[in-house]
Amino acid sequence: MKCDVGDIQSRLLDHRPVLQGEIRYFVREFEEKRAFRECRLLENLNKMATETNEQILPKCTESMQNNLCDILTRLEAANHMTQRIQQRELEAQNSPQLQVCMERRREDWEEFLKQQVQLKEEVDEEHLKAVGRLSTQYSEMKKDLTKHSHF
């Protein structure tokens, strides 16, 4: 009878064999579902890669070829125009007439700056005179006010 009590006690208290069976079942189910999910994911990726290679890539390549010729033509035209502009500027800078005009403008500018300095000095001087007059006027008014306030 002791043997039967041990078996009963082991079945009642020791759940390892049952748990191990449940764990094996859970792991087997999880791995099968995961493998199926990963397989679907890989199939979708393969489908996207095939679609990209067969449809999108040729369209992009064709569009790029069509637009590159136009872009190259425009770029060459812009480059030619900038070269012409640079050539004209170089010729203009080397022109003696332009040099004379630039020197005259430089002299005119210097004269203008001198005039501005002179005008500034005149305005500053006028301002100082006005401030002096106002100061004198206000001090006289203050004196008059103090005289009349004593009464």
Side-chain angles (χ1 to χ4, degrees), residues 67-79:
N67 291 330
L68 275 180
C69 291
D70 185 40
I71 290 171
L72 184 62
T73 305
R74 290 180 182 186
L75 185 61
E76 287 173 348
N79 192 20

Side-chain angles (χ1 to χ4, degrees), residues 78 80-91:
H80 181 69
M81 283 193 281
T82 55
Q83 286 176 350
R84 283 183 25 216
I85 290 170
Q86 284 178 334
Q87 182 76 26
R88 286 183 194 161
E89 282 187 23
L90 212 115
E91 289 171 1

